[in-house]
Each structure stands twice: as C-alpha cells, then as structure tokens.
C-alpha cells in the first residue's frame, strides 16, 4: 500500500480500500523510515506528472490525493514525524514547492491573456450599443430598424455579451488578486477559473449571434436558407473555441460538481422546496380534521 500510494496507483488504492479488514490494518503501518501513508503521498521521487494537462490541475490532483488518503488514516497520524523530523503536511508543502510555483505562473499567464480578450469583447459590445445597425431617426432619435425582429435579437445578444464579458473580467481579476496559497488550488482557484472560462465562452458565443443579427438587419435576407447559413458560419469560431477548451472543462468536472453541490445548499429554492414538502405532508391531516 505504501508503494502503491507513492506511485499514485489509484486503482490499487481503491481496490484495497473496499477490503475493510486489510485496509484498517494497512492504514496504520509505518515503514522503517518513520513514514506513514501520508508521507508517501508527499514523496515526489516517483512522480511522473500525473494525468492533468497543466501544473494547476496537477497540483489540484495532488491535493485531492492527499485528502483521500488522509481520510483513511487515524487522525493523530497527522502529527507523526518521520526520521527527518517532518510531519506529513510539512513534507508535502516542501516537496510540492516547485509544482506550486509552476501552477502560480501558469494561472497568472492564463488569467492575464484571457482577461485581455474579455476586455476586448466588452469594448466591442459597448461600442455596438451606440452604433445600432441601420442608424437612428434624425427627428426621434429612435433606431430605424427598431420594429425588425432581428433588432431584438441584436439588442439582447449585445447586452448578454457585455454582461458576460465583464463578469469574465471580474473573475479573472479575482484569480489574479488571489494569494495563490497551496490550499487555494484545491477548490477556490479552479472554481474561479472554471467560471471565468464559462463566461468568456458565453461572451464569444453571444457576440457572434449579435454579429449575425446585424448582418441580417443590414442586408435584409429574405430567404430562410441564407439566414441559416449566416448563423452557421457565425458559429464556426465558437465551435473552434469550444473544442480547444473542452479538455480543460473535462479536467475541471470535479470542481464544477463541487460548486453545484454548494449552490444547491445555498440557493433559496432549496428552502422553498423543503417548505412545500412539509406543507404537503401536513395537508392530509388538516383535511381529515375537517
């Protein structure tokens, strides 16, 4: 078990974990160097980079691995020192210091680059709000194409583009201003980065929809197939962006599930649902009393 944990063999770990009696005995074992199972999690001698594509996700994977092993060992083993007089957590922080620096640099570069793109999209969306397609009436100041159905599409998409891009900028700034501590890479920073990428993708998508609506307003295409073609072409960059970022979203799936579980507990509709259920359970007794 010590060797399997040091080599990050999660399949062997999960298989033995289901065997309760061997796991209870193995979790308390200490080797000749005074290392517990947690000390072997921190050992980077046989670490090959993990399965994740970037340093931030690799560090998150290591933190999750540490947490999963920590749940199995006795609680007082956290304070156990090996022959080098180091508890497991201090040993983990020391051995993962280089990976932490790589993760910090990667996260800063990514957030800076993406925030520039988000600001550019916000600038375009803000400018488009004052230069509506077709121009404005000189007497009333209202847009000439105000009653065209595609004008409503343009307006809604432009507002969504501005809101989502600015929200993305705020999230990327939140990442850049974080303290970048080791534990922040467990949930906090990956969650912020996931939300920032989500809003950035949404801003790209609705910006292309606003562009398509503008083209249809100006050219006045009457045939249905030409309208479909314009929207299909407009989604080419959105599709390319989605395909390029898909591996990152797959890697952040665990963080996204964790965020959704918190949202379900926090949002008010959970309280309303429980209130409605309690009322429904009481209703039959009221009817019987009547």
């Amino acid at each position: 078990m010590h060797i399997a944990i040091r080599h990050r063999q999660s399949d062997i770990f999960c298989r033995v974990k289901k065997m309760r009696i061997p796991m209870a005995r193995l979790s308390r074992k200490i080797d000749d160097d005074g290392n517990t199972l947690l000390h072997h999690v921190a050992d980077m001698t046989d670490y090959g980079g993990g399965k994740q594509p970037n340093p931030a996700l690799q560090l998150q994977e290591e933190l999750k691995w540490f947490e999963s092993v920590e749940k199995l060992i006795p609680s007082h083993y956290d304070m156990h020192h090996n022959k080098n007089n180091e508890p497991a957590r201090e040993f983990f922080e020391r051995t993962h210091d280089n990976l932490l620096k790589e993760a910090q640099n990667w996260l800063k570069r990514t957030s800076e680059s993406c925030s520039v793109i988000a600001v550019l999209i916000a600038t375009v969306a803000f400018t488009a709000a004052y230069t509506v397609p077709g121009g404005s009436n000189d007497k009333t100041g209202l847009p000439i194409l105000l009653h065209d159905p595609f004008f409503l599409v343009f307006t809604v998409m432009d507002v969504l583009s501005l809101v989502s891009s600015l929200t993305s900028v705020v999230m990327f700034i939140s990442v850049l201003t974080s303290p970048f501590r080791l534990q922040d890479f467990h949930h906090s920073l990956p969650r912020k980065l996931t939300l920032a990428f989500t809003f950035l993708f949404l801003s790209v998508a609705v910006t292309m929809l606003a562009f398509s609506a503008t083209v249809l307003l100006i050219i006045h295409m009457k045939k249905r197939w030409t309208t479909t073609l314009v929207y299909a072409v407009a989604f080419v960059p959105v599709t390319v962006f989605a395909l390029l970022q898909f591996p990152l979203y797959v890697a952040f799936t665990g963080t996204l599930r964790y965020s959704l579980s918190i949202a379900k507990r926090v949002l008010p509709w959970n309280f309303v649902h429980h209130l409605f259920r309690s009322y429904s359970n009481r209703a039959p007794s009221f009817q019987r009393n009547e």
Side-chain angles (χ1 to χ4, degrees), residues 47-120:
Y47 181 67
K51 302 177 182 178
Q52 301 301 334
N54 58 69
L57 292 175
Q58 291 172 6
L59 185 57
Q60 184 191 34
E61 185 181 42
E62 285 290 286
L63 289 167
K64 288 182 177 180
W65 184 235
F66 187 89
E67 183 184 39
S68 60
V69 176
E70 189 180 24
K71 291 178 180 178
L72 296 177
I73 67 171
S75 58
H76 63 275
Y77 272 39
D78 289 340
M79 303 303 296
H80 178 79
H81 291 62
N82 60 9
K83 283 189 175 181
N84 295 325
N85 199 27
E86 281 184 311
R89 192 169 295 276
E90 290 184 9
F91 185 37
F92 183 90
E93 292 176 358
R94 181 175 64 81
T95 55
H96 287 74
D97 186 58
N98 291 332
L99 184 60
L100 175 61
K101 292 178 181 178
E102 293 178 6
Q104 290 172 347
N105 293 331
W106 180 86
L107 204 59
K108 288 177 181 178
R109 292 196 307 269
T110 304
S111 300
E112 289 172 356
S113 302
C114 292
S115 60
V116 171
I117 298 172
V119 169
L120 179 62

Side-chain angles (χ1 to χ4, degrees), residues 79 267 286:
M79 303 303 296
L267 291 176
F286 292 155

